[in-house]
Amino acid sequence: MSERKIPLRKCVVTNVMKPKKELIRIVRSPEGEVQLDVTGKKNGRGAYLTNEEDIFLLAKKKDVLSRHLNVTVTPAQYDDLLASRPKGNSGK
């Protein structure tokens, strides 16, 4: 039996390729709303982040999501994303 191919995605902060299940997808909906996409299937422009608090804080400091999602992401939105991220996948 052949092995299944594991989909890889790149974290927009660290530029490290990881299995898709280890990353968190942030999506900009067609209406311009930025939110977490825990299913990975929502419509809109997506960006992947490693599920670690320091990565979210670095993304906030460098305003990475604003560039990748082509929309203004406020510091408060970064804080909301950090607070609502699932904590199960990471060791932190």
Side-chain angles (χ1 to χ4, degrees):
M1 208 155 115
S2 64
E3 290 184 31
R4 271 188 96 155
K5 186 177 176 182
I6 298 173
L8 298 175
R9 299 292 183 266
K10 186 185 285 191
C11 173
V12 296
V13 176
T14 63
N15 288 324
V16 174
M17 295 291 284
K18 291 186 175 187
K20 185 178 175 181
K21 291 189 178 203
E22 292 181 17
L23 300 170
I24 303 262
R25 184 171 186 248
I26 312 294
V27 67
R28 182 202 70 210
S29 68
E31 295 80 33
E33 191 176 321
V34 176
Q35 56 194 349
L36 283 179
D37 180 10
V38 291
T39 63
K41 298 180 182 191
K42 288 185 179 177
N43 278 343
R45 175 111 176 128
Y48 289 88
L49 290 176
T50 301
N51 189 12
E52 295 178 9
E53 184 176 355
D54 56 338
I55 299 298
F56 274 78
L57 295 174
L58 188 59
K60 178 181 175 181
K61 180 180 176 184
K62 293 183 175 183
D63 198 21
V64 173
L65 293 178
S66 291
R67 280 183 277 133
H68 282 275
L69 298 177
N70 300 325
V71 68
T72 301
V73 181
T74 66
Q77 287 176 308
Y78 278 104
D79 293 337
D80 291 343
L81 292 172
L82 177 61
S84 62
R85 75 181 174 91
K87 312 280 191 294
N89 293 352
S90 174
K92 294 191 177 192

